[in-house]
Amino acid sequence: MNPTQFLSHELRAVRQRMGLTQIDFGRAIHFSDSHVSAVETGHRPPRADYCRRVDEAAGTGRLYQGLLRLVSLDTAPSWLVPWLEYEARATALRSYQPLVIPGLLQTEEYARAILATGLAPPEEQARTLELRMGRPALVFDRDSPPLTTFVIDETVLRRGPAEVLRPQLAHLLAMSERPRVLIHVVPATAGLHLGQSGAFVLASLPDGDPVGYLDDQLAGRVVLDSEHVAALERTWEAVRAEALPRAQSRDLIRKLVDER
């Protein structure tokens, strides 16, 4: 039994201990009985919002949310695990992306389309998709979510088939309404700028020390060296200065949604 199957089994077990049918359990946690069935049979991976509502209904604290966290770490590639641990502890995240929508903001359809452009076999794509779709709730749906700031190049918002891009842009708009999610767009008129050297993320930790993360064609790596982190922070300031204010960025995204 793999970790995801184990979690599905435990979620079924807690429902049975409560003496509830899938229909009644679904009502208690505000999910359809078909969704409950899909989770319990392993046809749909449990996500953070599902586990949170199970914990609330069963009075189990954060037990199943914690199990989900362990499952996410277990299924992640070894080079990503250190960053996921920092991401889970961060009090603030600053992300710059010149090529694609940041992973934490991707819809499932957009993420699937991005992964399909790669050379990984289908089973690896499926594992990566499952992990990617589970991460946003672990960041945004915490009791005290971090302040997250995303800077995205305008060209990213125009790249992709309309049937995938339009709902993705609509999702960006919805996320931008959250008080602790700040989305800024670097307009195409900005021309060449320092950030085009590549994507990066900075995490501020409870002890105050920032940590960086870089991604490339092969893997990602955590940046701990203070001089290198300081260089990323200088790049962040330069990139952030090129971006539109939050309200103007939202207006631009809304305009692009209407154009699709």
Side-chain angles (χ1 to χ4, degrees), residues 8-10 16 24 38-39 44 56 63 81 87 100 124 126-127 131 146 153 184 193 222 241 247 252 259:
S8 297
H9 177 271
E10 289 301 303
Q16 292 172 338
D24 291 335
V39 168
R44 184 170 192 150
E56 291 171 353
L63 172 62
V81 170
E87 188 177 74
V100 296
E124 183 177 337
R127 287 194 299 270
L131 177 62
D153 276 14
H184 299 271
H193 59 82
V222 172
L252 176 56
E259 288 178 359

mmCIF file of all heavy atoms in Angstrom, residues 8-10 16 24 38-39 44 56 63 81 87 100 124 126-127 131 146 153 184 193 222 241 247 252 259:
data_model
loop_
_atom_site.group_PDB
_atom_site.id
_atom_site.type_symbol
_atom_site.label_atom_id
_atom_site.label_comp_id
_atom_site.label_asym_id
_atom_site.label_seq_id
_atom_site.Cartn_x
_atom_site.Cartn_y
_atom_site.Cartn_z
ATOM 1 N N SER A 8 -6.121 7.291 1.985
ATOM 2 C CA SER A 8 -7.489 7.014 1.544
ATOM 3 C C SER A 8 -8.149 5.984 2.459
ATOM 4 O O SER A 8 -9.334 6.112 2.820
ATOM 5 C CB SER A 8 -7.488 6.516 0.097
ATOM 6 O OG SER A 8 -7.000 7.515 -0.784
ATOM 7 N N HIS A 9 -7.382 4.953 2.828
ATOM 8 C CA HIS A 9 -7.901 3.913 3.721
ATOM 9 C C HIS A 9 -8.261 4.506 5.086
ATOM 10 O O HIS A 9 -9.309 4.183 5.665
ATOM 11 C CB HIS A 9 -6.842 2.813 3.888
ATOM 12 C CG HIS A 9 -7.238 1.717 4.833
ATOM 13 N ND1 HIS A 9 -6.981 1.783 6.195
ATOM 14 C CD2 HIS A 9 -7.884 0.538 4.624
ATOM 15 C CE1 HIS A 9 -7.444 0.700 6.773
ATOM 16 N NE2 HIS A 9 -7.989 -0.069 5.848
ATOM 17 N N GLU A 10 -7.407 5.397 5.607
ATOM 18 C CA GLU A 10 -7.668 5.997 6.912
ATOM 19 C C GLU A 10 -8.874 6.936 6.865
ATOM 20 O O GLU A 10 -9.644 7.015 7.836
ATOM 21 C CB GLU A 10 -6.421 6.768 7.377
ATOM 22 C CG GLU A 10 -5.266 5.881 7.765
ATOM 23 C CD GLU A 10 -5.646 4.940 8.903
ATOM 24 O OE1 GLU A 10 -6.073 5.436 9.961
ATOM 25 O OE2 GLU A 10 -5.526 3.713 8.723
ATOM 26 N N GLN A 16 -16.254 5.339 8.815
ATOM 27 C CA GLN A 16 -16.913 4.145 9.337
ATOM 28 C C GLN A 16 -16.990 4.172 10.858
ATOM 29 O O GLN A 16 -17.983 3.746 11.446
ATOM 30 C CB GLN A 16 -16.175 2.895 8.850
ATOM 31 C CG GLN A 16 -16.309 2.680 7.342
ATOM 32 C CD GLN A 16 -15.432 1.560 6.823
ATOM 33 O OE1 GLN A 16 -14.429 1.197 7.455
ATOM 34 N NE2 GLN A 16 -15.789 1.008 5.662
ATOM 35 N N ASP A 24 -24.152 10.687 4.114
ATOM 36 C CA ASP A 24 -24.214 11.487 5.338
ATOM 37 C C ASP A 24 -22.864 12.133 5.651
ATOM 38 O O ASP A 24 -22.790 13.274 6.112
ATOM 39 C CB ASP A 24 -24.655 10.616 6.515
ATOM 40 C CG ASP A 24 -26.111 10.181 6.396
ATOM 41 O OD1 ASP A 24 -26.878 10.895 5.712
ATOM 42 O OD2 ASP A 24 -26.472 9.135 6.961
ATOM 43 N N ALA A 38 -14.877 8.602 -4.393
ATOM 44 C CA ALA A 38 -13.674 8.655 -5.223
ATOM 45 C C ALA A 38 -12.416 8.753 -4.367
ATOM 46 O O ALA A 38 -11.385 8.151 -4.682
ATOM 47 C CB ALA A 38 -13.760 9.839 -6.187
ATOM 48 N N VAL A 39 -12.484 9.503 -3.267
ATOM 49 C CA VAL A 39 -11.340 9.608 -2.364
ATOM 50 C C VAL A 39 -11.073 8.264 -1.686
ATOM 51 O O VAL A 39 -9.932 7.794 -1.616
ATOM 52 C CB VAL A 39 -11.574 10.707 -1.307
ATOM 53 C CG1 VAL A 39 -10.533 10.617 -0.185
ATOM 54 C CG2 VAL A 39 -11.519 12.089 -1.951
ATOM 55 N N ARG A 44 -9.488 9.484 -6.566
ATOM 56 C CA ARG A 44 -9.263 10.925 -6.471
ATOM 57 C C ARG A 44 -8.379 11.174 -5.252
ATOM 58 O O ARG A 44 -8.725 10.750 -4.153
ATOM 59 C CB ARG A 44 -10.597 11.660 -6.332
ATOM 60 C CG ARG A 44 -10.477 13.167 -6.322
ATOM 61 C CD ARG A 44 -11.848 13.810 -6.433
ATOM 62 N NE ARG A 44 -11.718 15.229 -6.711
ATOM 63 C CZ ARG A 44 -12.585 15.944 -7.385
ATOM 64 N NH1 ARG A 44 -13.651 15.358 -7.892
ATOM 65 N NH2 ARG A 44 -12.417 17.231 -7.570
ATOM 66 N N GLU A 56 -12.355 18.593 11.078
ATOM 67 C CA GLU A 56 -13.361 19.389 11.775
ATOM 68 C C GLU A 56 -14.569 18.534 12.159
ATOM 69 O O GLU A 56 -15.069 18.607 13.286
ATOM 70 C CB GLU A 56 -13.811 20.556 10.895
ATOM 71 C CG GLU A 56 -12.729 21.623 10.688
ATOM 72 C CD GLU A 56 -13.119 22.644 9.637
ATOM 73 O OE1 GLU A 56 -14.168 22.461 8.975
ATOM 74 O OE2 GLU A 56 -12.368 23.628 9.462
ATOM 75 N N LEU A 63 -5.068 15.991 12.489
ATOM 76 C CA LEU A 63 -4.505 14.674 12.224
ATOM 77 C C LEU A 63 -4.424 14.376 10.735
ATOM 78 O O LEU A 63 -3.358 14.038 10.200
ATOM 79 C CB LEU A 63 -5.326 13.598 12.929
ATOM 80 C CG LEU A 63 -4.955 12.145 12.590
ATOM 81 C CD1 LEU A 63 -3.528 11.844 13.008
ATOM 82 C CD2 LEU A 63 -5.935 11.177 13.254
ATOM 83 N N VAL A 81 11.807 17.956 -1.682
ATOM 84 C CA VAL A 81 11.354 17.839 -0.298
ATOM 85 C C VAL A 81 11.859 18.968 0.602
ATOM 86 O O VAL A 81 11.084 19.550 1.368
ATOM 87 C CB VAL A 81 11.742 16.460 0.282
ATOM 88 C CG1 VAL A 81 11.495 16.405 1.790
ATOM 89 C CG2 VAL A 81 10.949 15.362 -0.411
ATOM 90 N N GLU A 87 8.565 25.835 2.466
ATOM 91 C CA GLU A 87 7.313 26.424 1.989
ATOM 92 C C GLU A 87 6.211 26.277 3.034
ATOM 93 O O GLU A 87 5.396 27.197 3.243
ATOM 94 C CB GLU A 87 6.908 25.737 0.684
ATOM 95 C CG GLU A 87 5.734 26.361 -0.047
ATOM 96 C CD GLU A 87 5.457 25.643 -1.359
ATOM 97 O OE1 GLU A 87 4.918 24.516 -1.325
ATOM 98 O OE2 GLU A 87 5.801 26.192 -2.417
ATOM 99 N N VAL A 100 5.961 30.668 -17.037
ATOM 100 C CA VAL A 100 4.655 30.029 -16.872
ATOM 101 C C VAL A 100 3.976 30.598 -15.626
ATOM 102 O O VAL A 100 4.609 31.263 -14.806
ATOM 103 C CB VAL A 100 4.768 28.486 -16.731
ATOM 104 C CG1 VAL A 100 5.320 27.866 -18.000
ATOM 105 C CG2 VAL A 100 5.624 28.117 -15.517
ATOM 106 N N GLU A 124 4.670 9.509 -14.424
ATOM 107 C CA GLU A 124 5.410 10.546 -13.706
ATOM 108 C C GLU A 124 4.671 11.882 -13.787
ATOM 109 O O GLU A 124 4.630 12.642 -12.815
ATOM 110 C CB GLU A 124 6.822 10.688 -14.275
ATOM 111 C CG GLU A 124 7.678 11.696 -13.514
ATOM 112 C CD GLU A 124 9.097 11.775 -14.057
ATOM 113 O OE1 GLU A 124 9.557 10.800 -14.684
ATOM 114 O OE2 GLU A 124 9.739 12.826 -13.852
ATOM 115 N N ALA A 126 1.484 12.211 -13.933
ATOM 116 C CA ALA A 126 0.344 12.091 -13.023
ATOM 117 C C ALA A 126 0.772 12.339 -11.583
ATOM 118 O O ALA A 126 0.068 13.010 -10.816
ATOM 119 C CB ALA A 126 -0.298 10.716 -13.167
ATOM 120 N N ARG A 127 1.938 11.805 -11.189
ATOM 121 C CA ARG A 127 2.433 12.019 -9.825
ATOM 122 C C ARG A 127 2.751 13.490 -9.594
ATOM 123 O O ARG A 127 2.426 14.050 -8.542
ATOM 124 C CB ARG A 127 3.674 11.159 -9.569
ATOM 125 C CG ARG A 127 3.400 9.680 -9.402
ATOM 126 C CD ARG A 127 4.600 8.969 -8.815
ATOM 127 N NE ARG A 127 5.777 9.081 -9.652
ATOM 128 C CZ ARG A 127 6.099 8.223 -10.615
ATOM 129 N NH1 ARG A 127 5.299 7.187 -10.851
ATOM 130 N NH2 ARG A 127 7.198 8.375 -11.326
ATOM 131 N N LEU A 131 0.895 16.074 -6.878
ATOM 132 C CA LEU A 131 1.639 16.850 -5.894
ATOM 133 C C LEU A 131 1.394 18.342 -6.075
ATOM 134 O O LEU A 131 1.146 19.071 -5.109
ATOM 135 C CB LEU A 131 3.134 16.543 -6.022
ATOM 136 C CG LEU A 131 4.064 17.338 -5.106
ATOM 137 C CD1 LEU A 131 3.762 17.040 -3.641
ATOM 138 C CD2 LEU A 131 5.522 17.027 -5.426
ATOM 139 N N PRO A 146 0.634 32.404 4.796
ATOM 140 C CA PRO A 146 1.689 33.389 4.581
ATOM 141 C C PRO A 146 1.223 34.491 3.633
ATOM 142 O O PRO A 146 0.284 34.302 2.854
ATOM 143 C CB PRO A 146 2.805 32.560 3.936
ATOM 144 C CG PRO A 146 2.082 31.459 3.222
ATOM 145 C CD PRO A 146 0.897 31.134 4.103
ATOM 146 N N ASP A 153 5.364 37.866 -15.649
ATOM 147 C CA ASP A 153 5.474 38.630 -16.896
ATOM 148 C C ASP A 153 4.167 38.547 -17.694
ATOM 149 O O ASP A 153 3.530 37.484 -17.741
ATOM 150 C CB ASP A 153 6.620 38.091 -17.756
ATOM 151 C CG ASP A 153 7.963 38.692 -17.353
ATOM 152 O OD1 ASP A 153 8.033 39.309 -16.267
ATOM 153 O OD2 ASP A 153 8.940 38.544 -18.122
ATOM 154 N N HIS A 184 1.130 40.690 -9.143
ATOM 155 C CA HIS A 184 1.571 41.840 -9.914
ATOM 156 C C HIS A 184 2.060 41.379 -11.288
ATOM 157 O O HIS A 184 2.690 40.319 -11.400
ATOM 158 C CB HIS A 184 2.704 42.577 -9.201
ATOM 159 C CG HIS A 184 2.319 43.123 -7.857
ATOM 160 N ND1 HIS A 184 1.776 44.371 -7.696
ATOM 161 C CD2 HIS A 184 2.381 42.569 -6.615
ATOM 162 C CE1 HIS A 184 1.535 44.583 -6.405
ATOM 163 N NE2 HIS A 184 1.884 43.509 -5.729
ATOM 164 N N HIS A 193 14.633 43.208 -18.624
ATOM 165 C CA HIS A 193 14.870 43.535 -17.218
ATOM 166 C C HIS A 193 15.599 42.376 -16.553
ATOM 167 O O HIS A 193 15.717 41.273 -17.093
ATOM 168 C CB HIS A 193 13.563 43.853 -16.496
ATOM 169 C CG HIS A 193 12.552 42.749 -16.521
ATOM 170 N ND1 HIS A 193 12.581 41.696 -15.644
ATOM 171 C CD2 HIS A 193 11.478 42.536 -17.336
ATOM 172 C CE1 HIS A 193 11.563 40.882 -15.904
ATOM 173 N NE2 HIS A 193 10.882 41.361 -16.923
ATOM 174 N N VAL A 222 17.437 24.435 -3.286
ATOM 175 C CA VAL A 222 17.271 25.429 -2.236
ATOM 176 C C VAL A 222 18.551 26.246 -2.137
ATOM 177 O O VAL A 222 19.659 25.701 -2.215
ATOM 178 C CB VAL A 222 16.957 24.746 -0.893
ATOM 179 C CG1 VAL A 222 16.966 25.748 0.248
ATOM 180 C CG2 VAL A 222 15.609 24.041 -0.969
ATOM 181 N N ALA A 241 9.967 46.363 -9.027
ATOM 182 C CA ALA A 241 9.869 47.766 -9.440
ATOM 183 C C ALA A 241 9.332 47.906 -10.859
ATOM 184 O O ALA A 241 8.782 48.954 -11.224
ATOM 185 C CB ALA A 241 11.232 48.439 -9.327
ATOM 186 N N ALA A 247 -3.871 46.735 -8.216
ATOM 187 C CA ALA A 247 -5.161 47.007 -8.871
ATOM 188 C C ALA A 247 -5.010 47.044 -10.385
ATOM 189 O O ALA A 247 -5.851 46.506 -11.119
ATOM 190 C CB ALA A 247 -5.750 48.320 -8.361
ATOM 191 N N LEU A 252 -5.564 44.387 -15.800
ATOM 192 C CA LEU A 252 -4.965 43.803 -16.998
ATOM 193 C C LEU A 252 -5.375 42.337 -17.149
ATOM 194 O O LEU A 252 -5.729 41.894 -18.253
ATOM 195 C CB LEU A 252 -3.436 43.917 -16.933
ATOM 196 C CG LEU A 252 -2.659 43.256 -18.079
ATOM 197 C CD1 LEU A 252 -3.112 43.777 -19.439
ATOM 198 C CD2 LEU A 252 -1.157 43.451 -17.896
ATOM 199 N N GLU A 259 -10.811 39.087 -23.389
ATOM 200 C CA GLU A 259 -10.353 38.930 -24.774
ATOM 201 C C GLU A 259 -10.406 37.483 -25.236
ATOM 202 O O GLU A 259 -10.416 37.217 -26.432
ATOM 203 C CB GLU A 259 -8.902 39.435 -24.900
ATOM 204 C CG GLU A 259 -8.775 40.962 -24.810
ATOM 205 C CD GLU A 259 -7.321 41.387 -24.897
ATOM 206 O OE1 GLU A 259 -6.440 40.501 -25.006
ATOM 207 O OE2 GLU A 259 -7.062 42.601 -24.865
#
